[in-house]
Amino acid sequence: MSAEREQPPEGRYGRSADARADRMLKIVGAVLGAGMIALIGWFGYSHVVAKDLSAEMIKFKVVSDTEVRVHLEVRKDAGATGVCTLSSQNEQHAEVGRKDVRFDQRAERVDEIVKLRTTGRATMVELVGCQSGTGR
């Protein structure tokens, strides 16, 4: 008896189902990868461009049991306005003061020393956040 082949000769009837599936997986993977990279790029771009106002607390000084002076540096568009919120806390991390500071100057960079009144002695000050175009 002669031995019979169980598989057709390689390449005779086109690609096998495994090769077609591998190629399809590579295409789907490439499309999904490109879409993910585009999505991450779009989120990054919108996060950077959408910032009309950013602020940084340079330093603070506890003047007395009822007052803290905070040095803020704000960067914004020249015509933009905004509000930054400051919070001060005591040793037990209880809030002893909070203030919303409005920035409507026509400058792109504003350095300002803010007086923050407190109900007790503050040990730390936090810049909670800033919002552009608030008010008026």
Side-chain angles (χ1 to χ4, degrees):
M1 286 203 164
S2 65
E4 290 185 35
R5 284 189 182 186
E6 292 182 18
Q7 293 182 348
E10 194 172 319
R12 183 169 181 177
Y13 298 107
R15 290 188 172 156
S16 70
D18 288 342
R20 281 191 296 272
D22 287 349
R23 183 166 189 247
M24 184 58 72
L25 283 174
K26 287 178 185 176
I27 291 171
V28 169
V31 169
L32 288 176
M36 193 65 145
I37 288 173
L39 187 65
I40 290 170
W42 181 70
F43 282 138
Y45 177 76
S46 66
H47 179 73
V48 170
V49 171
K51 290 281 187 183
D52 293 336
L53 178 83
S54 65
E56 181 180 357
M57 182 177 64
I58 306 299
K59 63 181 178 178
F60 71 91
K61 181 178 182 181
V62 179
V63 178
S64 69
D65 286 346
T66 59
E67 184 180 325
V68 178
R69 300 232 172 134
V70 183
H71 181 188
L72 285 178
E73 179 182 295
V74 178
R75 290 168 297 286
K76 62 183 185 65
D77 294 335
T81 62
V83 174
C84 291
T85 303
L86 295 169
S87 171
S88 62
Q89 297 177 357
N90 63 12
E91 284 183 353
Q92 290 76 33
H93 302 287
E95 187 173 83
V96 292
R98 180 178 276 274
K99 183 173 187 174
D100 290 333
V101 183
R102 180 172 193 70
F103 294 97
D104 52 6
Q105 298 90 332
R106 291 252 177 233
E108 289 184 0
R109 183 176 171 272
V110 179
D111 267 337
E112 190 165 321
I113 296 179
V114 178
K115 186 190 310 186
L116 178 60
R117 293 283 193 191
T118 61
T119 58
R121 187 160 190 85
T123 57
M124 67 165 277
V125 177
E126 176 186 14
L127 175 61
V128 177
C130 296
Q131 294 179 336
S132 62
T134 306
R136 284 191 192 177

